[in-house]
Amino acid sequence: MSHVLERRLEEALEGFVRDGVYKRLNYLDSPQAARVTMEGRGEVIILSSNNYLGLSNQAEVVAAGKAALDRYGAGTASVRFICGTFTIHRALEHACARLVGTPASLSFVSCWNANEAFPGTLLTEHDVIISDQLNHASIIDGIRLAKAITRCRSAVYRHGDLADLEAKLEAERGDRVRMVVTDGIFSMEGSIAPLPDLVELCRRHDAVLVVDDSHATGVLGARGRGTAEHFGLVGEVDIITSTLGKALGGAAGGFVAAAASVCDYLTQRARPQLFSNALPPTVAASSLAAIEYLEAHPERVATLQRNARYFRERLLELGFRPLAGETPIIPVILGETAAAIRMSDLLLKEGVFVTGFGYPVVPQGEARVRCQISAAHTREDLDEALAAFQRVGRALKLI
Ligand SMILES: Cc1ncc(COP(=O)(O)O)c(C=O)c1O
């Protein structure tokens, strides 16, 4: 390897260690569940997983993946339009569309891929995409890529600030597509996008509304259909992107759900579709089984929502000040990155796995530990985790 590159990387890595921001990977030797086996630590309660519905190790989800391996083999061995597409992909895409309430959907190997695909494929040099300031990195990179590919323009509106968004829509009046994009649930805050106002604003300005519901699918609404269901707006969002790698089985994969013409156009032109293999059939089958399980068991969503409420209320009673909200993402702000990492380390010593996040993932001075609650957690799991929070909180003089 080039000496220049080697030296640069070594210096940067040493800097990460010095600044207390070096990420160490924790190896698990068991499936994702409320409690996992962590190499070198034994059993720990996991409060940092997106396995919101506890479906990653659900018997039906695992069995469907195994059956698909027998039926379809390991994979597509090429791009879908070149060498054929499996019927399981079509079944999955029908199920994704049905779940989120759109006429059609198209699967991708990840939601990252889906978010990289739609702006650069659907926009042109005449168009503009306007993005919430706190949107996920995949949306930000998708927009950067779209600008390079199509020469479209972009703007950023202040987080959740509808007046700022409206001003930006006004400034971009004219015969062009104006696309507004937001996360459904913001993953670092656990807050929900103001969807009713966004729908109204986009309708009034003839703008296209895109919602990335990766943290909301399976989580919000009585049946886990996402942010639109939470607000009684199923069918009102133009384009929904979401992941199969969180509540819906947790393996991998993502999708764009929208009108048939949008999905058909993406099939024709989206570069990640045209130049990359499809989702492995095992994963497609597991994800389909996860959606079918969710449709048959809405009580899982109710359990998740009840667990999240319980954990948030007990944290408040202990004297912590989590960010206000109503989702299973419950961040406790600590200030400096090193403080968040220290709290996360102490909690892990107590047998509770909660990740600390610092700058640049969250703004400077707003480092946090982020708890994520699952329907898989029992009251006993949550109470044990809360007792660990109390001990660590006292040791750090936070409560
Ligand atoms: C809001 C949001 N969008 C997209 C993604 C990417 O999803 P995937 O893991 O399917 O690439 C994530 C994952 O963290 C996310 O939180």
Side-chain angles (χ1 to χ4, degrees):
M1 181 161 67
S2 140
H3 291 309
V4 180
L5 180 60
E6 199 169 353
R7 207 165 44 246
R8 185 188 304 160
L9 299 183
E10 274 168 9
E11 280 172 12
L13 288 166
E14 281 162 16
F16 297 160
V17 175
R18 209 171 37 247
D19 298 343
V21 297
Y22 184 83
K23 296 175 188 61
R24 285 173 216 286
L25 300 180
N26 291 303
Y27 287 91
L28 307 183
D29 200 17
S30 65
Q32 282 292 347
R35 290 171 190 253
V36 295
T37 308
M38 186 178 287
E39 207 171 74
R41 292 205 183 265
E43 185 185 272
V44 299
I45 297 174
I46 192 156
L47 281 191
S48 52
S49 167
N50 301 309
N51 182 25
Y52 293 116
L53 295 173
L55 292 180
S56 13
N57 195 30
Q58 183 68 34
E60 292 88 333
V61 172
V62 176
K66 285 182 183 164
L69 189 60
D70 287 338
R71 178 163 173 191
Y72 299 102
T76 50
S78 181
V79 171
R80 284 169 76 172
F81 91 94
I82 296 176
C83 72
T85 184
F86 289 122
T87 50
I88 192 75
H89 290 112
R90 183 176 54 206
L92 172 66
E93 285 159 356
H94 286 164
C96 291
R98 187 173 71 233
L99 177 67
V100 303
T102 57
S105 92
L106 182 66
S107 62
F108 288 80
V109 292
S110 66
C111 186
W112 186 287
N113 231 225
N115 284 343
E116 272 198 353
F118 80 82
T121 311
L122 300 179
L123 299 174
T124 71
E125 61 185 335
H126 306 294
D127 303 330
V128 62
I129 181 161
I130 311 177
S131 173
D132 187 289
Q133 182 188 6
L134 293 189
N135 275 343
H136 188 257
S138 55
I139 298 174
I140 296 170
D141 281 15
I143 293 171
R144 288 176 176 152
L145 198 57
K147 286 164 76 171
I149 294 173
T150 71
R151 309 212 178 287
C152 69
R153 282 176 304 107
S154 72
V156 173
Y157 64 96
R158 282 192 296 275
H159 175 52
D161 185 335
L162 295 155
D164 191 33
L165 172 58
E166 179 144 37
K168 295 204 154 98
L169 283 166
E170 290 283 357
E172 296 292 348
R173 262 182 195 292
D175 188 18
R176 59 170 62 100
V177 172
R178 289 168 298 165
M179 189 176 267
V180 174
V181 57
T182 179
D183 281 9
I185 290 181
F186 289 87
S187 59
M188 286 298 142
E189 340 305 305
S191 56
I192 306 175
L195 194 65
D197 293 331
L198 287 167
V199 167
E200 189 277 325
L201 199 56
C202 288
R203 290 274 172 278
R204 193 148 43 79
H205 285 269
D206 190 30
V208 178
L209 178 60
V210 185
V211 175
D212 175 346
D213 241 6
S214 290
H215 283 276
T217 304
V219 169
L220 288 184
R223 308 188 78 82
R225 301 179 72 193
T227 308
E229 189 191 15
H230 176 79
F231 287 111
L233 289 169
V234 171
E236 300 296 325
V237 178
D238 300 308
I239 299 176
I240 295 171
T241 67
S242 192
T243 185
L244 302 166
K246 300 191 195 297
L248 299 180
F255 60 90
V256 173
S261 58
V262 170
C263 296
D264 195 13
Y265 193 81
L266 290 170
T267 305
Q268 308 304 316
R269 284 284 186 267
R271 293 166 71 81
Q273 285 286 329
L274 299 182
F275 299 104
S276 185
N277 276 17
L279 198 59
T282 43
V283 176
S286 283
S287 306
L288 173 59
I291 293 175
E292 287 170 350
Y293 188 92
L294 168 60
E295 289 173 328
H297 297 277
E299 70 277 5
R300 263 303 160 102
V301 186
T303 304
L304 167 65
Q305 294 170 353
R306 201 167 46 246
N307 279 356
R309 222 170 16 251
Y310 177 80
F311 194 82
R312 186 184 286 281
E313 283 166 6
R314 297 293 91 72
L315 266 187
L316 281 163
E317 278 171 17
L318 288 177
F320 288 99
R321 290 285 163 264
L323 288 184
E326 48 183 321
T327 71
I329 298 176
I330 307 177
V332 177
I333 304 292
L334 294 162
E336 292 313 310
T337 303
I341 289 179
R342 179 155 166 69
M343 177 144 183
S344 155
D345 287 347
L346 289 177
L347 283 166
L348 193 51
K349 286 200 179 106
E350 296 275 347
V352 180
F353 184 22
V354 184
T355 307
F357 291 93
Y359 181 79
V361 180
V362 296
Q364 192 79 264
E366 290 181 28
R368 61 200 65 186
V369 290
R370 182 185 65 167
C371 309
Q372 287 173 287
I373 307 304
S374 167
H377 289 123
T378 61
R379 262 312 136 82
E380 195 188 8
D381 298 326
L382 296 177
D383 286 342
E384 211 173 304
L386 286 159
F389 263 82
Q390 186 172 34
R391 286 192 294 277
V392 170
R394 282 187 179 147
L396 294 176
K397 300 197 180 357
L398 297 170
I399 54 171

